[in-house]
Amino acid sequence: MTQGDAMKGRIDPEQVLGHLPDGLVVLDETGRILYANAKVRDWTGGRDSLKGKSCFRVFRQRMERCPNCGALEGKNGRSIETACVLDEDDVFPKGMEVIATDGRNRLGPKQTVLLSFRQPLSSSSIDEKEGQTNLQLQGLNEQLRERVKELDCLYDIAGPAPLDWSTQDLLQFVANRVPASWYYSDQASARIRLLGMTVYSRNYRPGHWRMISDIYLDGETAGSLEIHYPKDVTEDEDAPFLEEEHRLLEAITRQIEVQIARKRSEEALQVSQENLRLTLRSIADGVITINPQGRITRLNPKAEKLTGWSWTEAVGRPLEDVFQIENTKAGLAARELSRRVVGNGETVELGNDTQLHARDGVRRQIGDSAAPVRDRTGTIIGGVIVFSDVTAKHQAQKRLEESEENFRLLAENARDLIYRIRLKPEMAFEYVSPAATMMTGYTPEEHYEDPMLGFKIIYEPDRDKLAAVMEGDYDFGEPLVLRWQKKDGSIIWVEQKNVPIFDEQGEWIGLEGIARDITKRKQDEAWIRYLSFHDVLTGLNNRAYLQEAMDRLTSERQLPMSIIMADLNGLKLVNDTFGHQVGDQMLIEAAELLRECCRKEDIIVRFGGDEFVILLPQADEATARAIAKRLTGSAQASLKRDTWPVSMAIGYSVRTDLQQGLDELIGVAEDDMYQNKKELTDKASTALLERVMSIIA
């Protein structure tokens, strides 16, 4: 059997009937010859000339009574056998007997007839073997019955299985059907192993005698068919299986392969059709399919809604009756679309300029495409049109165009710099707003000519920030703040808000954003930050800065650490006597004196109205005492200079353990300062007032 026959589920009659010694002919329900075996072909002298010819034409003139009539008149599947004897003929031997058997339900779903030609024995043979004639005839009859059993079995197995049968149902049917075709049918049993399943015939018994044929699926051994006989089925030592039964087993095995392949194809087709149905129903776009004549074969629910036609109403109609379109640019109608797709095999893409006129009169803007559908040979078997309602999108496009025009006007007149730069395949500015000239000194044209200009204008210490952006190590949700160097060399602060651009594959290909000059804001922030940690009058650090510095200097390396506390004597008296303006001058002079007497690393703080605190990192008691002494001397000397006089009471404390807090150190220094303040005499205060009066005078 060829692979093509196997795929179509056909049986090769030669495998079963070709070797028979009797002539055998198979007729269809009209009396035409479907098959004639080699014996009949030899008698008639033609190998293939009998196929398709009428039985009447070939055999009737040679028969006393045509068996075809009676056999074909069988009713309700009842088997009818008729017999006739051929007249003497120059082709058929004299006395040829023909047996006609109704083949309904044996050879397939349609009625068929089997004609069996039994060759008579010669007169000499009759004389010599008169005693054996009856035995020979019985043997021939028995052979014919066996062949008919085999043929019945093959045709039963070859027929299409019911669609609701599972693979196991099919195998079970074969297992039950096969044993009846073997010579010792009442003792034969069958077992089929395939695809992890094992099925048995009704009377299965593991036998002493077995014949096995492998079942192949997809070119590999997938299972086997076994026929079993018990040991006592024969007294011979040789296996009791006939040569014809080996060929029959092979043919049945091949039919199982064909049936499994057919079952798989049917299941795959059912799944495919169901998937197609579900897919079409779930597709958000309208789908219409047409045949080669341009008539509609299917609409999905979305197409029904958009066109206003139901599937049952539209099927069989020309495409232009249902899919009434007008393309304002291409001027393409549905009839022309159908001709180009199924006639010329073109794939047609229509833009959003196509308008669909629905059955209810509604007009919708649609986007559609149409393509031919081809079979495996490339032959066009239809076409498919896919379309969607893009009315809202079309209107949005118009609004977008208007918005883009407004944006262009806005961008052209904005003070902020708006830009778009392509990074791949090569770097280039695609848009730079006119604000670039005012902000950087470089014109948009200069940016277009030099794609690297956007990098070059970045102040060199800040270029690492941009490098991080280009490497993707940046949160685009946060603004990028850096400095630009303008064409004239000046530095400005810029805040950039960037948005990455990706292609359809998700690859980063560009950047667009807006840049704003925030130099003034940065200056204001710096001033506010300065004020938060400095005294405005003296320029010294304030009390908040002292706490921050104390928290920062918490390592063993800073020990010992000293604190000096100084109180400006007579400030309230000066304020009350000469006014706060004079008192402020004294505070400024005191601050300057403190700066002159302290080290660079010392932190000088205006702690209160007339109080100052000096934080001395890495300063022991001797160092603190020396600086305090220097401050006292400078204050006394100021009473004799032509500058504002300064009189201070000074105390200090030393931190040797990190467990000592700021409040504790200030408390000790403050106690020491007040002790020093008591030691000052009224003479010092009087001298201070006299010096202030001399300066004012």
Side-chain angles (χ1 to χ4, degrees):
M1 191 188 315
T2 65
Q3 183 179 4
D5 288 338
M7 292 304 294
K8 296 176 183 177
R10 295 201 296 260
I11 299 174
D12 184 359
E14 285 297 322
Q15 287 189 341
V16 180
L17 309 177
H19 63 281
L20 292 178
D22 295 335
L24 190 67
V25 173
V26 181
L27 305 179
D28 65 14
E29 72 273 13
T30 66
R32 294 190 176 274
I33 297 174
L34 295 174
Y35 169 75
N37 72 351
K39 197 69 172 180
V40 175
R41 295 198 300 268
D42 289 343
W43 287 336
T44 59
R47 182 170 182 79
D48 298 320
S49 59
L50 298 181
K51 187 175 182 180
K53 290 185 177 181
S54 170
C55 171
F56 295 92
R57 180 175 299 177
V58 177
F59 301 115
R60 186 173 188 179
Q61 60 185 354
R62 303 187 177 98
M63 295 182 183
E64 296 176 350
R65 180 166 61 86
C66 179
N68 189 40
C69 300
L72 288 176
E73 290 172 0
K75 303 299 183 182
N76 301 321
R78 180 171 56 87
S79 177
I80 296 177
E81 290 193 2
T82 60
C84 65
V85 179
L86 293 178
D87 291 334
E88 185 175 355
D89 186 89
D90 57 351
V91 176
F92 291 99
K94 182 180 180 180
M96 175 71 73
E97 183 182 22
V98 181
I99 301 296
T101 305
D102 179 13
R104 191 197 317 250
N105 296 330
R106 296 180 181 181
L107 307 182
K110 295 183 179 180
Q111 184 180 8
T112 53
V113 175
L114 296 178
L115 296 182
S116 176
F117 294 79
R118 296 180 179 176
Q119 183 176 359
L121 297 174
S122 65
S123 58
S124 59
S125 297
I126 294 174
D127 292 338
E128 295 174 2
K129 301 180 180 180
E130 183 175 356
Q132 300 179 7
T133 300
N134 291 334
L135 293 176
Q136 291 176 341
L137 290 175
Q138 290 176 4
L140 291 174
N141 286 332
E142 187 175 339
Q143 289 183 24
L144 179 59
R145 283 196 300 271
E146 291 302 316
R147 301 297 82 74
V148 171
K149 285 197 317 183
E150 295 169 1
L151 191 60
D152 281 350
C153 177
L154 279 175
Y155 272 97
D156 284 347
I157 294 173
L163 293 177
D164 59 346
W165 275 17
S166 66
T167 300
Q168 185 163 356
D169 293 335
L170 175 62
L171 296 179
Q172 188 64 64
F173 170 77
V174 175
N176 290 333
R177 180 64 184 84
V178 166
S181 303
W182 259 247
Y183 187 78
Y184 301 106
S185 58
D186 58 335
Q187 300 191 59
S189 60
R191 176 170 63 184
I192 302 176
R193 295 175 176 174
L194 185 65
L195 302 174
M197 296 178 287
T198 302
V199 297
Y200 306 91
S201 60
R202 296 185 186 92
N203 62 337
Y204 175 75
R205 301 181 301 278
H208 175 76
W209 303 104
R210 289 190 304 170
M211 58 190 310
I212 301 175
S213 179
D214 289 335
I215 301 173
Y216 296 92
L217 296 178
D218 301 324
E220 296 182 356
T221 303
S224 63
L225 169 60
E226 303 173 10
I227 304 297
H228 292 249
Y229 275 152
K231 185 175 183 180
D232 58 359
V233 74
T234 178
E235 296 179 357
D236 297 336
E237 294 184 0
D238 297 331
F241 298 109
L242 304 177
E243 180 181 350
E244 294 82 355
E245 290 174 338
H246 286 282
R247 290 196 294 268
L248 177 61
L249 181 65
E250 183 70 19
I252 292 173
T253 304
R254 300 291 79 79
Q255 280 305 310
I256 293 175
E257 296 169 358
V258 170
Q259 289 286 10
I260 295 298
R262 179 187 294 159
K263 190 68 177 173
R264 287 179 170 179
S265 298
E266 290 172 351
E267 292 173 351
L269 179 60
Q270 289 178 352
V271 171
S272 177
Q273 290 177 339
E274 179 64 12
N275 288 340
L276 175 61
R277 186 185 69 82
L278 294 175
T279 300
L280 289 178
R281 288 189 64 84
S282 61
I283 288 177
D285 294 340
V287 179
I288 298 176
T289 59
I290 58 176
N291 62 18
Q293 291 72 45
R295 293 184 177 272
I296 293 175
T297 57
R298 186 185 294 270
L299 283 81
N300 74 338
K302 188 66 174 182
E304 291 179 322
K305 181 178 179 180
L306 294 178
T307 63
W309 289 79
S310 69
W311 183 2
T312 55
E313 293 174 315
V315 168
R317 288 181 174 270
L319 178 64
E320 58 268 21
D321 287 359
V322 177
F323 192 59
Q324 298 181 14
I325 60 171
E326 179 183 356
N327 187 277
T328 56
K329 289 187 177 181
L332 185 66
R335 179 177 298 178
E336 176 67 12
L337 178 66
S338 176
R339 184 191 65 80
R340 289 177 59 181
V341 172
V342 296
N344 300 344
E346 298 180 36
T347 297
V348 181
E349 296 281 350
L350 298 179
N352 296 341
D353 301 302
T354 304
Q355 197 172 73
L356 172 65
H357 300 180
R359 194 179 189 182
D360 58 4
V362 176
R363 298 193 175 195
R364 296 181 176 88
Q365 211 73 23
I366 63 170
D368 63 348
S369 63
V373 178
R374 302 176 186 271
D375 63 14
R376 293 181 179 179
T377 65
T379 303
I380 295 176
I381 59 174
V384 59
I385 300 95
V386 181
F387 59 100
S388 58
D389 184 356
V390 296
T391 304
K393 183 178 180 181
H394 187 73
Q395 294 172 349
Q397 180 64 29
K398 286 187 175 181
R399 292 194 296 269
L400 178 61
E401 292 174 357
E402 295 173 357
S403 176
E404 287 179 345
E405 177 61 19
N406 293 334
F407 173 78
R408 186 188 65 80
L409 295 174
L410 180 65
E412 297 295 317
N413 295 282
R415 295 179 62 84
D416 293 337
L417 173 57
I418 300 170
Y419 55 88
R420 179 185 178 99
I421 185 169
R422 183 180 68 247
L423 302 177
K424 294 179 179 180
E426 65 279 334
M427 184 179 292
F429 279 102
E430 294 182 343
Y431 178 77
V432 178
S433 67
T437 305
M438 178 185 66
M439 187 179 293
T440 68
Y442 295 99
T443 65
E445 289 72 20
E446 289 178 289
H447 284 80
Y448 297 142
E449 292 172 0
D450 184 2
M452 293 299 296
L453 186 56
F455 181 78
K456 294 176 181 177
I457 64 174
I458 297 175
Y459 190 46
E460 188 170 354
D462 292 351
R463 289 180 181 175
D464 288 344
K465 294 182 179 180
L466 184 62
V469 174
M470 303 306 292
E471 293 172 1
D473 186 19
Y474 178 71
D475 181 4
F476 284 99
E478 297 295 326
L480 177 65
V481 178
L482 38 69
R483 288 167 289 183
W484 285 2
Q485 188 166 14
K486 298 174 63 172
K487 195 172 185 177
D488 61 7
S490 60
I491 305 298
I492 61 172
W493 281 95
V494 176
E495 181 182 78
Q496 293 179 248
K497 293 183 179 179
N498 298 306
V499 177
I501 303 171
F502 300 94
D503 62 13
E504 295 179 353
Q505 288 71 42
E507 185 178 3
W508 183 24
I509 61 170
L511 201 67
E512 60 184 16
I514 184 169
R516 173 173 294 179
D517 186 348
I518 60 169
T519 303
K520 179 64 167 57
R521 190 179 82 190
K522 278 291 187 180
Q523 292 171 345
D524 292 343
E525 290 174 353
W527 176 242
I528 292 172
R529 189 164 51 253
Y530 176 83
L531 292 180
S532 65
F533 288 110
H534 290 80
D535 175 55
V536 177
L537 177 63
T538 63
L540 297 177
N541 295 308
N542 60 16
R543 191 167 186 167
Y545 185 82
L546 174 64
Q547 184 62 57
E548 189 273 338
M550 194 68 179
D551 293 340
R552 181 163 37 89
L553 301 174
T554 56
S555 65
E556 295 282 352
R557 186 172 57 85
Q558 302 296 334
L559 298 180
M561 177 187 297
S562 297
I563 285 183
I564 294 177
M565 192 162 189
D567 181 79
L568 188 61
N569 294 321
L571 179 61
K572 186 177 184 307
L573 180 62
V574 171
N575 284 335
D576 294 342
T577 305
F578 303 106
H580 286 278
Q581 187 173 6
V582 175
D584 288 347
Q585 289 297 324
M586 287 185 62
L587 286 169
I588 293 172
E589 187 68 24
E592 185 61 31
L593 185 147
L594 292 174
R595 290 190 186 95
E596 292 175 355
C597 295
C598 291
R599 305 172 302 177
K600 288 184 179 181
E601 63 269 25
D602 297 337
I603 299 172
I604 307 172
V605 175
R606 185 182 177 189
F607 194 69
D610 57 358
E611 293 179 334
F612 299 89
V613 172
I614 306 170
L615 190 62
L616 308 173
Q618 298 179 343
D620 55 12
E621 183 178 358
T623 303
R625 188 186 307 113
I627 294 175
K629 184 176 181 180
R630 192 158 57 242
L631 286 172
T632 301
S634 296
Q636 292 176 349
S638 68
L639 296 174
K640 302 177 181 180
R641 296 198 303 265
D642 293 334
T643 59
W644 290 101
V646 176
S647 176
M648 290 184 181
I650 297 173
Y652 64 86
S653 63
V654 180
R655 183 187 197 185
T656 58
D657 187 346
L658 292 177
Q659 298 301 318
Q660 293 175 277
L662 177 63
D663 292 340
E664 180 183 351
L665 293 172
I666 289 178
V668 174
E670 193 173 29
D671 291 343
D672 188 44
M673 176 192 71
Y674 281 123
Q675 183 65 35
N676 178 252
K677 197 175 186 68
K678 291 178 181 179
E679 295 175 358
L680 293 176
T681 62
D682 292 339
K683 182 178 179 181
S685 298
T686 301
L688 174 64
L689 290 175
E690 290 176 351
R691 184 68 188 125
V692 171
M693 290 181 63
S694 66
I695 293 175
I696 295 175

